[in-house]
Structures are given as C-alpha cells and as structure tokens.
C-alpha cells in the first residue's frame, strides 16, 4: 500500500506516515484505505461527520477547514419547516439554501467559493464506520488527485469544475 501512502505524503495530506502504514491492511482497495485513514484522523483536511449531524451544525467547522474567505462565512438564520433552510452571508452575497443533508451543504459551499483560490475544495469521500468522510484539499492539487485511482469521491464530477485553469 506504499503507493497510496506515498501519494498522500507527496500531496502533504498525510499527518503521520508511521501510524498510517499500520492502519492500511495488505490487499485492501486503496479507496477503502483512504476512508479508513480519514476516519482515523490521519489526513490533513479530513473530517469525519457522524450520521445525524445536521448541515447547520457542520457549517462552522467545515467552513473553517475550507480556510481562506470561507472562514468569514456566516449563517444568518436557520429555518426548519418545511425543509431545512439556511440563510447565509459571504461577503456581499446573501442567499437562502435548502439543504437536506451534508452532501448538499458541501455542494453549495464548493459552488459559492468556486472562484476563490484561497479556499479548499471539499471532497465527499464516502461512508465509513457509520460516518461520512470529507476531505478539504487545495484546488491546485485537485487535478492530480482526481487522476489517482484511490481518489474516488462521490462528488468527483463537481470537483472537476473547481480545478483551476492554468
């Protein structure tokens, strides 16, 4: 599994190589190992979100992990009926977002900051151990990561649009 760990280390996404190597069983599919490493807290920018966490509860930590301009993101109001609706403010932009789940929140945040080079993109890696695994990555690394076989986020199509043009 050295190739996965080497690739993560090259992208500066691995916090502790020694601990990570002990968590990656031989023969395990690399995308599964990525979920395992995220859940263990060994990925820089990795977040584990338990089932039942509402988008309005996650938005603060997620915006902080995205960094840059996203740190100034604000939820102005939360409405729960008929569906969860967030009234948000980001700079001069104010919007109302109907967000049914965490992937919908990730989509809206990625879209809001699609042109902000200083904001990390959020990849939805998938589910592991009854939690959703997210990874905030630098936009300049997106193209390289999306070409890797181990990096197969659920929102890969949306992430393609966030790759900076040269």
């Amino acid at each position: 599994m050295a190739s996965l760990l080497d690739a993560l280390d090259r992208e500066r996404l691995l916090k502790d190589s020694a601990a990570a190597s002990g968590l990656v069983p031989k023969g395990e599919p690399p995308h599964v190992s990525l979920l395992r490493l995220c859940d263990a807290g060994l990925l820089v920018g990795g977040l584990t979100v338990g089932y039942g966490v509402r988008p309005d509860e996650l938005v603060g930590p997620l915006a902080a992990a995205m960094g840059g301009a996203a740190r100034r993101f604000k939820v102005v109001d939360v409405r729960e009926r008929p569906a969860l609706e967030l009234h948000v403010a980001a700079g001069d932009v104010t919007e109302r977002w109907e967000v049914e789940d965490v992937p919908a929140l990730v989509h809206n945040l990625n879209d809001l900051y699609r042109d902000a080079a200083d904001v990390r993109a959020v990849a939805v890696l998938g589910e592991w151990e009854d939690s959703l695994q997210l990874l905030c990555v630098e936009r300049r690394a997106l193209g390289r990561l999306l070409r890797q076989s181990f990096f197969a986020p659920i929102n890969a199509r949306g992430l393609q649009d966030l790759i900076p043009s040269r």
Side-chain angles (χ1 to χ4, degrees):
M1 194 49 57
S3 63
L4 168 64
L5 298 178
D6 290 344
L8 292 172
D9 204 33
R10 272 192 310 274
E11 294 296 338
R12 296 188 179 128
L13 291 174
L14 202 54
K15 289 182 182 177
D16 183 344
S17 300
S21 63
L23 276 178
V24 178
K26 230 178 192 181
E28 182 173 69
H31 68 280
V32 174
S33 295
L34 188 64
L35 293 171
R36 181 186 303 277
L37 292 169
C38 189
D39 183 61
L42 292 171
L43 297 181
V44 174
L47 294 166
T48 297
V49 182
Y51 287 126
V53 171
R54 294 168 25 137
D56 59 316
E57 297 168 328
L58 177 63
V59 72
L62 185 54
M66 292 173 76
R71 287 190 182 129
R72 295 183 294 282
F73 181 84
K74 290 185 175 36
V75 175
V76 179
D77 194 12
V78 177
R79 304 284 170 101
E80 295 187 30
R81 299 181 197 263
L84 183 64
E85 183 179 87
L86 303 179
H87 297 210
V88 302
D92 295 338
V93 176
T94 57
E95 296 180 349
R96 292 180 181 196
W97 293 351
E98 191 172 302
V99 288
E100 63 189 49
D101 56 15
V102 170
L105 173 65
V106 167
H107 169 79
N108 285 5
L109 284 167
N110 277 340
D111 187 53
L112 179 65
Y113 292 107
R114 70 184 164 274
D115 297 325
D118 66 332
V119 176
R120 292 177 199 89
V122 183
V124 181
L125 299 178
E127 300 173 10
W128 182 259
E129 298 291 324
D130 295 328
S131 297
L132 191 62
Q133 306 301 320
L134 307 177
L135 182 62
C136 298
V137 298
E138 298 291 335
R139 290 172 192 273
R140 59 180 162 60
L142 268 179
R144 290 188 306 273
L145 283 171
L146 286 167
R147 288 189 296 274
Q148 299 287 334
S149 61
F150 67 82
F151 192 72
I154 294 167
N155 62 336
R157 179 182 257 171
L159 292 173
Q160 287 284 347
D161 297 335
L162 302 178
I163 297 171
S165 55
R166 296 195 178 239

